[in-house]
Amino acid sequence: MTIELHTWNTPNGRKISVALEEMGLPYKVIPVNIGKGEQMAPAFLAISPNNKIPAIVDPDGPGGKPVSIFESGAILLYLGEKTGKFLPKPLAERIPVYEWLMWQMGGFGPMPGQVHHFIALENEQDRAYGLKRYMAETRRLYGVLDRRLDGRDYVAGDLSVADFAILGWAWRHPRHKVDLADFPNVKRWYETLMARPATKRGMEAKLD
């Protein structure tokens, strides 16, 4: 049964298209044009009460009943549970997946997102303070990730939903004004993931 992916072409949207492709789940994209305020439509608010993309509707949810899920981290965990893929079963192996997924949700998303905001401002005075603050924090987070990936292929053991979550934001590194050559472990990890056929399909899926 086909999952509905309500989304737009953003890092958080890409997390889910990559995960769906990697998990081999059939899905259809229902674009939500956030530039036109479509995320405020009552029909979308019914499945995403925080009026943020992405959200999914799975017609074959728990017990075979339809279910909707909002918040990209929650969606990734749900899909991992549903398929048994990219989410280890032993609790000890899940812990780093949880840690690095929450690291992305709490830091490597909100901070680069502020860079996206301030870099778009036209007034240089308005831009200067915000860019200095949030670009510095974004580079710090890339450094955290680079150290984590030293000697590791993926952030939490085997490839997991945590990697998909982080990749969605690392995909925007040019917009963050970050040269991955400065973070060689991140660069290796990024290029390895982007070379995977399913990840490539998820990144190229039309979300808008």
Side-chain angles (χ1 to χ4, degrees):
M1 301 179 75
T2 302
I3 291 174
E4 294 180 357
L5 172 57
H6 299 252
T7 193
W8 197 240
N9 186 26
T10 71
N12 288 331
R14 288 292 165 196
K15 297 178 194 177
I16 311 306
S17 59
V18 166
L20 288 165
E21 291 285 354
E22 287 281 359
M23 294 174 184
L25 290 170
Y27 68 100
K28 66 177 179 180
V29 174
I30 299 178
V32 180
N33 189 331
I34 58 177
K36 294 182 177 179
E38 291 178 359
Q39 72 274 23
M40 302 304 296
F44 183 69
L45 286 171
I47 61 171
S48 184
N50 196 34
N51 60 272
K52 302 289 185 182
I53 60 95
I56 67 168
V57 176
D58 183 0
D60 185 27
K65 297 179 180 178
V67 65
S68 63
I69 304 107
F70 73 102
E71 284 294 329
S72 59
I75 294 169
L76 288 170
L77 291 174
Y78 169 78
L79 294 174
E81 292 277 2
K82 176 183 175 72
T83 62
K85 297 178 179 179
F86 306 109
L87 189 62
K89 292 190 181 302
L91 180 58
E93 295 177 22
R94 283 192 182 214
I95 289 170
V97 177
Y98 291 156
E99 288 175 328
W100 287 93
L101 177 59
M102 297 309 134
W103 175 84
Q104 184 280 303
M105 297 294 294
F108 196 71
M111 295 302 103
Q114 293 297 322
V115 174
H116 294 184
H117 171 78
F118 282 100
I119 211 166
L121 297 181
E122 294 183 2
N123 185 294
E124 184 60 36
Q125 188 173 358
D126 291 342
R127 294 174 61 191
Y129 170 74
L131 284 178
K132 181 179 179 181
R133 174 182 172 85
Y134 291 111
M135 279 184 167
E137 177 62 6
T138 293
R139 288 190 66 85
R140 187 191 72 81
L141 291 166
Y142 273 95
V144 171
L145 180 59
D146 197 69
R147 291 190 295 274
R148 175 63 180 179
L149 288 168
D150 186 15
R152 290 183 175 86
D153 291 334
Y154 305 108
V155 295
D158 292 335
L159 182 62
S160 73
V161 294
D163 293 285
F164 304 153
I166 297 166
L167 181 67
W169 283 91
W171 166 60
R172 286 289 180 88
H173 65 272
R175 191 169 179 182
H176 306 157
K177 305 298 185 185
V178 168
D179 184 348
L180 292 187
D182 295 340
F183 304 97
N185 296 315
V186 176
K187 185 174 188 291
R188 168 186 48 79
W189 166 87
Y190 180 84
E191 290 175 350
T192 297
L193 276 176
M194 294 295 275
R196 292 175 64 87
T199 293
K200 189 171 186 290
R201 290 195 301 272
M203 283 296 181
E204 292 175 352
K206 185 170 175 54
L207 303 187
D208 52 13

